[in-house]
């Protein structure tokens, strides 16, 4: 996993490397990209690469995490509905990146990032789960939430963003809120 750092120089190196990878990914398949190519594009040495990342997949994880964190800090949501709306608007505005990730089978990296973002709000979740009497099941809640969000993103990207960001956000909120579908009246 990439290293989280408060050091601005470290973060700048990570951002240069991830931006270089995304630029190269627009012209070459992920499987064919080499660390050397990425380093040359980012104008950093291999030591800098490996000081910050374990491998190329780690760079993708950082890129997604960094972009989402930046957006989240700029627009802190008030509740789940607003968080989903902002997340899906963000994805919609970066749809070329998400299509590129999907094309290279890299979208599953997003699932790991979503779990990390949810873990960042663990205190909030613990309070809610404690009120429900299930605080010892937080890992299940995090997993369910991350998988629901990821699955909707994956389908949305695969459908070429057929629904609007607001529609897919509301659908996701409904799922996460325990949407109950009434049985049709057969009378």
């Amino acid at each position: 996993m990439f290293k989280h750092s408060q050091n601005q120089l470290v973060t700048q190196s990570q951002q240069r490397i991830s931006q270089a990878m995304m630029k190269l990914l627009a012209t070459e398949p992920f499987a064919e990209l080499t660390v050397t190519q990425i380093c040359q594009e980012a104008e950093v040495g291999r030591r800098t690469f490996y000081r910050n990342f374990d491998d190329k997949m780690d760079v993708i994880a950082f890129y997604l995490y960094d972009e989402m964190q930046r957006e989240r800090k700029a627009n802190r949501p008030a509740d789940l509905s607003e968080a989903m709306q902002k997340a899906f608007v963000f994805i919609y505005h970066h749809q070329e990146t998400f299509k590129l990730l999907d094309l290279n089978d890299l979208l599953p990296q997003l699932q790991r990032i979503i779990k990390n973002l949810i873990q960042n709000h663990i205190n909030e979740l613990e309070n809610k789960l404690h009120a429900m009497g299930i605080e010892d099941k937080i890992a299940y809640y995090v997993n369910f939430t991350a998988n629901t969000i990821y699955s909707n993103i994956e389908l949305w990207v695969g459908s070429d963003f057929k629904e609007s960001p607001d529609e897919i956000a509301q659908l996701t909120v409904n799922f996460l809120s325990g949407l109950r579908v009434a049985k049709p009246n057969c009378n």
Side-chain angles (χ1 to χ4, degrees):
M1 182 72 171
F2 61 88
K3 287 77 178 169
H4 294 275
S5 178
Q6 299 300 322
N7 182 319
Q8 192 170 8
L9 292 176
V10 170
T11 302
Q12 286 174 349
S13 291
Q14 290 172 321
Q15 289 170 341
R16 286 179 64 186
I17 292 167
S18 68
Q19 294 296 327
M21 173 176 276
M22 295 308 292
K23 182 178 178 185
L24 290 168
L25 201 55
T27 59
E28 289 188 53
F30 178 78
E32 295 176 19
L33 285 179
T34 66
V35 170
T36 300
Q37 287 174 292
I38 297 165
C39 290
Q40 287 172 344
E41 183 68 34
E43 298 179 349
V44 299
R46 288 177 66 88
R47 288 177 66 174
T48 300
F49 181 95
Y50 286 110
R51 193 175 314 125
N52 290 288
F53 301 106
D54 294 334
D55 53 28
K56 295 186 307 182
M57 288 298 259
D58 215 15
V59 177
I60 295 296
F62 171 81
Y63 176 80
L64 291 169
Y65 182 83
D66 188 54
E67 290 292 317
M68 292 177 133
Q69 279 294 91
R70 234 182 286 147
E71 178 66 24
R72 206 173 126 262
K73 285 178 184 174
N75 300 304
R76 190 145 184 99
D79 57 21
L80 176 64
S81 184
E82 187 179 345
M84 288 299 99
Q85 197 275 337
K86 288 180 182 297
F88 284 103
V89 166
F90 170 81
I91 293 166
Y92 188 78
H93 288 305
H94 293 84
Q95 61 184 273
E96 292 306 314
T97 297
F98 283 88
K99 287 178 188 178
L100 195 56
L101 294 172
D102 189 38
L103 182 68
N104 284 276
D105 297 320
L106 299 170
L107 210 48
Q109 286 298 310
L110 184 59
Q111 195 169 22
R112 187 170 97 185
I113 304 310
I114 293 168
K115 283 184 184 180
N116 286 340
L117 291 171
I118 293 169
Q119 289 287 355
N120 288 343
H121 296 289
I122 212 76
N123 291 340
E124 224 174 275
L125 294 175
E126 285 175 342
N127 291 337
K128 288 179 184 177
L129 295 176
H130 180 70
M132 296 167 62
I134 55 172
E135 64 271 7
D136 61 333
K137 306 295 186 218
I138 197 153
Y140 292 98
Y141 182 86
V142 169
N143 199 53
F144 173 81
T145 303
N147 289 335
T148 300
I149 294 167
Y150 169 74
S151 293
N152 283 353
I153 292 169
E154 182 182 47
L155 287 170
W156 192 44
V157 172
S159 74
D160 205 26
F161 304 91
K162 186 172 79 172
E163 296 82 10
S164 73
D166 289 337
E167 288 174 306
I168 196 71
Q170 188 58 57
L171 183 64
T172 304
V173 169
N174 289 345
F175 288 152
L176 293 174
S177 299
L179 176 67
R180 306 274 191 268
V181 179
K183 291 182 181 178
N185 189 347
C186 297
N187 293 334

